[in-house]
Amino acid sequence: MNVTKTERKESTKHCCGSGCRRRDSAEHEEEGGALIGQRITENNVTNADRDVNRLLERIVSPENLNNAYKRVVRNKGAGGVDGMKVDELLQYLKDNGKEIRESVLAGKYKPAPVRRVEIPKDNGKKRMPGIPTAVDRVIQQAIAQVLIPIYEPEFVETSYGFRPGKSAHDAIRKCQEYLNEGYVWAVDMDLEKFFDTVNQSKLMEILSKKIKDRRVISLIHK
């Protein structure tokens, strides 16, 4: 959600609406690490861009994967198409974590299909989110943890939706500031079925402008 000034009048009349959803930032809890082990080197990886940042190595580093695992466990959620529950992740990753890291580095990791579920909306319609497997959620979270610091500086200051350290309450406070300055309108908009209709080719093109490690682009595309 972006909060922007729209109109100023001397009248004290005001109208302010908010449709933000809060997304709390992850807390660093001291949980048992699932993927602690020796750092995997780039053996037998062909056609890999050896970017100075070695972004893919950062994504699959034991520390980053452990933090991703902890976040997925805290978020809970239903299982994917493989039926694996979040509370089964720890043992699975202990047994298979090394192979997962190696497959990602070798470009052989293949995410499983998502499981579609129907969730009723307030207007009587339904939305059909896709639920990835628990393991795929760990990989997705690991990618996000590395990419967020890269893209956060690109956002405008008054953007509050799904931003680390920001919430709907911050957006409401900003609206109140504008109202106190004499602005009288706050516009709340939503793009219908945005994630279902986003141009993925254009998205990959935009990501490629900053992410020079093509292995990471390939992984995101998968």
Side-chain angles (χ1 to χ4, degrees):
M1 176 183 180
N2 293 341
V3 177
T4 57
K5 301 176 181 179
T6 57
E7 183 180 356
R8 178 188 290 274
K9 290 185 180 180
E10 293 182 359
S11 169
T12 58
K13 179 181 178 182
H14 61 271
C15 175
C16 182
S18 173
C20 300
R21 288 178 293 175
R22 180 171 184 174
R23 185 166 190 164
D24 296 327
S25 60
E27 299 174 357
H28 298 284
E29 297 177 2
E30 295 297 328
E31 298 181 30
L35 294 163
I36 293 176
Q38 294 182 347
R39 189 176 300 276
I40 301 302
T41 58
E42 206 176 71
N43 296 330
N44 302 320
V45 178
T46 58
N47 299 322
D49 285 357
R50 285 161 175 80
D51 183 74
V52 290
N53 292 325
R54 295 173 65 85
L55 211 59
L56 189 61
E57 280 72 18
R58 290 164 57 190
I59 287 172
V60 297
S61 69
E63 180 181 5
N64 190 53
L65 286 172
N66 278 329
N67 289 336
Y69 158 76
K70 294 175 186 178
R71 180 62 181 266
V72 169
V73 170
R74 283 197 297 272
N75 288 343
K76 300 179 181 180
V81 293
D82 61 356
M84 181 187 296
K85 299 178 181 178
V86 171
D87 56 11
E88 299 176 276
L89 257 177
L90 181 59
Q91 188 59 53
Y92 183 85
L93 294 178
K94 283 182 176 179
D95 295 338
N96 301 279
K98 183 176 183 292
E99 288 75 15
I100 292 173
R101 290 198 302 270
E102 289 176 339
S103 68
V104 172
L105 285 170
K108 297 179 180 179
Y109 180 80
K110 294 183 179 180
V114 298
R115 182 170 69 88
R116 289 290 179 180
V117 295
E118 290 186 355
I119 298 180
K121 300 174 67 173
D122 294 337
N123 59 7
K125 297 182 179 180
K126 296 180 180 179
R127 62 188 184 95
M128 298 280 292
I131 301 178
T133 64
V135 174
D136 285 342
R137 295 209 293 271
V138 171
I139 301 299
Q140 291 177 1
Q141 180 63 32
I143 296 171
Q145 288 170 175
V146 172
L147 263 57
I148 285 173
I150 296 174
Y151 285 98
E152 264 298 299
E154 302 294 317
F155 285 86
V156 295
E157 183 181 354
T158 51
S159 174
Y160 297 96
F162 302 98
R163 299 276 307 282
K166 293 192 175 185
S167 70
H169 296 286
D170 298 313
I172 293 171
R173 278 191 286 269
K174 178 57 68 174
C175 285
Q176 188 62 56
E177 289 180 17
Y178 289 153
L179 293 173
N180 293 338
E181 292 175 10
Y183 293 89
V184 298
W185 293 101
V187 181
D188 177 26
M189 295 183 292
D190 184 28
L191 298 177
E192 184 177 6
K193 297 181 179 178
F194 171 75
F195 292 109
D196 294 331
T197 58
V198 64
N199 187 320
Q200 294 191 17
S201 296
K202 184 65 176 178
L203 177 60
M204 292 296 105
E205 178 185 340
I206 293 172
L207 289 174
S208 298
K209 292 179 180 179
K210 275 189 174 291
I211 302 174
K212 301 307 179 182
D213 189 332
R214 293 181 183 176
R215 300 168 301 165
V216 175
I217 295 296
S218 176
L219 179 61
I220 294 172
H221 191 265
K222 290 178 181 179

